[in-house]
Amino acid sequence: MDNVSIINMLLVLSTLVILYFLLLIAKRTRKKQIHYAVLSMTASILLWNIAVLLYMTFDNVPWILAICERLYFLGTILVSISILFTGLIFARTKIKFTWKHGLLFVVPVISIGVLLTNQSHHLFYTVFSLIPSKQNFGIYFTIHTIYSYLCIGIGLAYLVIFSIKNYGVFSKQSSLICIGIMIALIMDAISTFKIFDWSTAIENIAFAVTISFFVIATVKFDFLNVIPIALQTVVDLISDSYVVIDEDFEIIDYNQAFVSDFSGVARKVDIMAIIKKNYSDLDVKRFKGFLDEAVREHKKVSFEISKPRNEAIVYYRVEITPIYVSGNPIGTIILKKNITEHKNNLKEVMQLNERLQSLATRDWLTQSYNRYFFDERLQQEIDLVNRLQAYGLESEKSVNNFGLIMFDIDYFKNYNDNNGHLAGDELLQTIVTVVKGVLYPTDILCRYGGEEFAVICCHTSEKGFEIAAEKIRKAVEDYDFRFQDKQPGGNLTVSIGAAYCSTPNVNKKDLITRADNYLYLAKSTGRNKVVFSE
């Protein structure tokens, strides 16, 4: 079997492969721009192949040869512009056609016009042949060739670059596309520039091989069934900053958000140099420590970092994730997420919780604790004493006892009647301020009801408890209240009943009753005094 027969067989086979790929794409019910672009590219290659096949088959029929010559060049013209738009659409997923895209068709349209009228001027070609040494092209063919190779080169560059960005450098899709494109490009260059004097049908067969790779990528790996969005376009739209560094902590890749957050960013620059330029020494030290920990222990590490900006504090969460392939470290991803809004929202929630807790446990007028909180806390202290008295050490029993003080304002009704209820409210607030001034931080002041107050003196001895009660009485007696001169005796005072809790099995109700009885006794025996017992 001679070379011509082999080429004819391969040409027929390649035409069938291209036709199969064309039908494969055409039968899709829902097509996107990328499908129509690939359809046009495949149809152009098919037209080109058919022209060569007919030219070789009917080499003794002049009118068929004349048609095939024009179909041959028409196929090459359409293939170049189709490859360009296939690459553009693949890179951008979808393009909106504008007048700028229309300009790309100016040269192809002129080429088609020159081709169809070639017999009258021979600007495109003077002698056509499938053997490069026998071809003789016109001056316009140079323009057509330069433009075609520009279109093919740009289109193929887009396909290669963005297939790698979409699927990864070593993905099966990217590998198949790159191999197929390189085969077609090499064979086309050999034919066009007459490096070897073989039939241009070899070029068609090479494009069929490329289409075969596209078939495998499409059928087996869903090359056209995914939305081909460039990875770099996606990551640049992400508001979070990310950077990839190698084993030597040098920057490999980053997104636009990282450039916005850090000055001096560039590839092959040490990441620590960038951090030092943008953060304080303390933050740099923390960052370096977490980075070393992540790499050393092969684990993801996250931490928070803050930075002043426009008279405010911006908070970030940084995640450091080492990258390992087959157990070997190849780099590290650093992700920086702005959590300022989250932190502010959390702060607002905490403030709201504090506010709600205050409303639930505080008296609205005096801001001392309310009756609900008093009952809860008093029971807790009683339970503690009962437990320690029953099971605690001797050294713990005395220091964890507590006392209950009940006091109310002497002649408060008289104060209200003479000065008004607003003055009475102000007096209650002032009393709370005065009493708080003489209490220990561990003591708990509560408004029991009306003008009556209660103080739980926690972790105190009996002697200390007596001193606390007397300090309260003396502080009120010595304070210069508004309108106190209108009170009986010319002064404003309080009466106090105090009950100490140091024995087990104390009942809350009994303890309150005892302190309240002592308070009644203080009022009935002259007021402005402290009563500890009957």
Side-chain angles (χ1 to χ4, degrees), residues 1 42 78 82 131 226 246 255-256 275-276 324 393 525:
M1 186 180 293
T42 310
L78 297 177
S82 298
I131 305 301
V226 296
D246 61 18
N255 66 346
Q256 191 58 44
I275 302 300
K276 288 177 182 178
Y324 286 85
L393 300 174
T525 57

Side-chain angles (χ1 to χ4, degrees), residues 238-259:
I238 297 175
S239 58
D240 299 339
S241 302
Y242 96 91
V243 62
V244 182
I245 59 176
D246 61 18
E247 293 180 85
D248 298 322
F249 295 168
E250 289 186 349
I251 296 175
I252 300 173
D253 197 11
Y254 51 85
N255 66 346
Q256 191 58 44
F258 188 79
V259 177

Side-chain angles (χ1 to χ4, degrees), residues 11-26:
L11 194 58
V12 171
L13 183 61
S14 66
T15 303
L16 292 175
V17 170
I18 294 168
L19 182 61
Y20 170 73
F21 187 63
L22 183 71
L23 295 174
L24 186 69
I25 304 301

Side-chain angles (χ1 to χ4, degrees), residues 111-176:
S111 296
I112 293 172
V114 173
L115 174 65
L116 296 178
T117 60
N118 187 69
Q119 285 298 104
S120 61
H121 48 68
H122 297 290
L123 292 175
F124 209 100
Y125 65 94
T126 55
V127 177
F128 177 81
S129 175
L130 296 178
I131 305 301
S133 61
K134 298 179 181 180
Q135 295 171 343
N136 192 2
F137 298 112
I139 190 172
Y140 182 80
F141 185 79
T142 304
I143 298 173
H144 158 74
T145 302
I146 293 173
Y147 185 78
S148 295
Y149 269 95
L150 280 174
C151 290
I152 293 171
I154 294 171
L156 295 184
Y158 271 115
L159 279 171
V160 171
I161 292 170
F162 285 95
S163 64
I164 291 173
K165 285 184 177 292
N166 289 337
Y167 306 108
V169 177
F170 303 107
S171 70
K172 293 180 175 63
Q173 295 95 329
S174 299
S175 299
L176 287 168

Side-chain angles (χ1 to χ4, degrees), residues 81-98:
I81 195 71
S82 298
I83 291 175
L84 174 61
F85 274 94
T86 299
L88 287 173
I89 294 170
F90 183 78
R92 294 181 171 85
T93 302
K94 186 177 182 180
I95 62 175
K96 183 178 180 180
F97 286 91
T98 64

Side-chain angles (χ1 to χ4, degrees), residues 11-23 38-54 71-72 74-76 78-79 204 207-208 211:
L11 194 58
V12 171
L13 183 61
S14 66
T15 303
L16 292 175
V17 170
I18 294 168
L19 182 61
Y20 170 73
F21 187 63
L22 183 71
L23 295 174
V38 173
L39 269 174
S40 65
M41 179 181 69
T42 310
S44 302
I45 296 174
L46 183 64
L47 178 64
W48 185 14
N49 257 40
I50 291 173
V52 173
L53 186 61
L54 291 175
L71 291 179
Y72 177 92
L74 181 62
T76 60
L78 297 177
V79 163
N204 296 82
F207 268 93
I211 291 297

